[in-house]
C-alpha cells in the first residue's frame, strides 16, 4: 500500500555495538538502494540491489557495513562495531525500473543513527 | 559524480523571483535524469524527470532543461515560494543497463522574504 518504510526511525547506540536497520520497499519494486546522509550534506551511496543480480557494494565505506535483501523485498543494513563517525541518517529507496514509467526512486523517511 | 559528504552550495533567491539550479552530470551515456527535493527532516521527493531524447520538460512551476553536449541539467522554479526552501538534487541513470542512479552534490535553496 504505502510508500517505503524504514525502522527504527531513530536509533541510539554505544560505540562498538552492532546495529541493524530495516527497509521495506514498495511492493513490486525491483531496485533497492541504501544511502547515508550526514547533517547538512549530500547523499552518499552505499549499496544497490537490482533483481537477482549481485548487489553493487561499491559505496560501502568499510567491511563493518553489510546489507542483504531477502526474497527480493525487505532489506537489512548491518553496521558492526559502530563508530561515532557512523552517526548519520540512513535512507532507503526503491524503484520500479520500468521503461514505461521511468526509474524514479521512492525514498523512505530514513533512520537517524546516533553513536555515543 | 557521486556526492560524498561535501557541504552543500547555497542559492538565495527573493520570494517571487525565479530560481535556476544547475547540475553537471558525469556519464555521457546517461539517458534518464531526475530532480529531487529534500525538505528538512524528510527523504528526497521526486519533482520532475526528463529522458535524453528531450531537451526541455515542464511541470507545475518547474522546468527542467537538458544540454547533452555539455552534460548539464538545470531546474527552473518560477515565482519561488517559502515552501520551495529545500535541498535540490539532480540524478542520472543509464536505463538500458542495470546501473544504479547517481546523485549530484545538491544545492540548498534559501528563499528570502
Amino acid at each position: 500500500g504505502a510508500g517505503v518504510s524504514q525502522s527504527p526511525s531513530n536509533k541510539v547506540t554505544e560505540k562498538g555495538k552492532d546495529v541493524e536497520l530495516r527497509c521495506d520497499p514498495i511492493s513490486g519494486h525491483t531496485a533497492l538502494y541504501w544511502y547515508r546522509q550526514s547533517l547538512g550534506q549530500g547523499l552518499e551511496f552505499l549499496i544497490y540491489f537490482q533483481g537477482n543480480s549481485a548487489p553493487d557494494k561499491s559505496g560501502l565505506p568499510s567491511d563493518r557495513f553489510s546489507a542483504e535483501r531477502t526474497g527480493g523485498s525487505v532489506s537489512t543494513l548491518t553496521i558492526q562495531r559502530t563508530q561515532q563517525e557512523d552517526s548519520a541518517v540512513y535512507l532507503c529507496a526503491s524503484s520500479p525500473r520500468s521503461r514505461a514509467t521511468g526509474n524514479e526512486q521512492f525514498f523512505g523517511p530514513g533512520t537517524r543513527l546516533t553513536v555515543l | 559524480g557521486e556526492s560524498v559528504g561535501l557541504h552543500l552550495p547555497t542559492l538565495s533567491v527573493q520570494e517571487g523571483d525565479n530560481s535556476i539550479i544547475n547540475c553537471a552530470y558525469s556519464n555521457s551515456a546517461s539517458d534518464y535524469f531526475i530532480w529531487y527535493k529534500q525538505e528538512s527532516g524528510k527523504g528526497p521527493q521526486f519533482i520532475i524527470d526528463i529522458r535524453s531524447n528531450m531537451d526541455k520538460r515542464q511541470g507545475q512551476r518547474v522546468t527542467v532543461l537538458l544540454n547533452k553536449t555539455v552534460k548539464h541539467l538545470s531546474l527552473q522554479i518560477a515565482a519561488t515560494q517559502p515552501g520551495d526552501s529545500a535541498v535540490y538534487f539532480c540524478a542520472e541513470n543509464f536505463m538500458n543497463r542495470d546501473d544504479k542512479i547517481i546523485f549530484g552534490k545538491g544545492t540548498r535553496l534559501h528563499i528570502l522574504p
Side-chain angles (χ1 to χ4, degrees), chain B residues 21-86:
Chain B
I21 301 171
N22 295 304
C23 176
Y25 63 92
S26 58
N27 186 358
S28 57
S30 292
D31 56 10
Y32 180 65
F33 305 88
I34 317 164
W35 278 99
Y36 288 89
K37 173 185 180 182
Q38 186 179 26
E39 296 176 283
S40 181
K42 298 181 180 179
Q45 288 189 305
F46 172 90
I47 303 174
I48 191 168
D49 59 2
I50 189 168
R51 296 181 190 252
S52 59
N53 60 350
M54 302 172 68
D55 54 18
K56 181 179 180 179
R57 190 171 187 210
Q58 288 185 292
Q60 187 177 15
R61 279 202 310 120
V62 294
T63 300
V64 55
L65 299 178
L66 174 63
N67 185 332
K68 295 182 288 294
T69 302
V70 294
K71 294 190 291 185
H72 183 267
L73 198 63
S74 69
L75 177 71
Q76 300 177 0
I77 305 174
T80 48
Q81 304 168 358
D84 294 329
S85 290

Side-chain angles (χ1 to χ4, degrees), chain B residues 10-25:
Chain B
T10 298
L11 174 65
S12 295
V13 176
Q14 206 75 37
E15 182 179 348
D17 287 352
N18 297 334
S19 303
I20 300 176
I21 301 171
N22 295 304
C23 176
Y25 63 92

Side-chain angles (χ1 to χ4, degrees), chain A residues 23-83:
Chain A
C23 172
D24 283 87
I26 293 173
S27 178
H29 281 192
T30 60
L32 187 146
Y33 300 74
W34 282 99
Y35 298 91
R36 179 168 70 176
Q37 188 173 36
S38 299
L39 186 63
Q41 298 186 1
L43 296 171
E44 179 185 2
F45 166 77
L46 297 178
I47 189 168
Y48 163 55
F49 296 90
Q50 171 53 35
N52 295 321
S53 302
D56 179 344
K57 304 179 182 179
S58 60
L60 295 179
S62 76
D63 58 8
R64 295 186 296 105
F65 288 72
S66 63
E68 62 178 24
R69 188 178 185 192
T70 54
S73 180
V74 172
S75 178
T76 302
L77 176 69
T78 301
I79 309 172
Q80 296 177 310
R81 304 181 302 282
T82 51
Q83 305 293 314

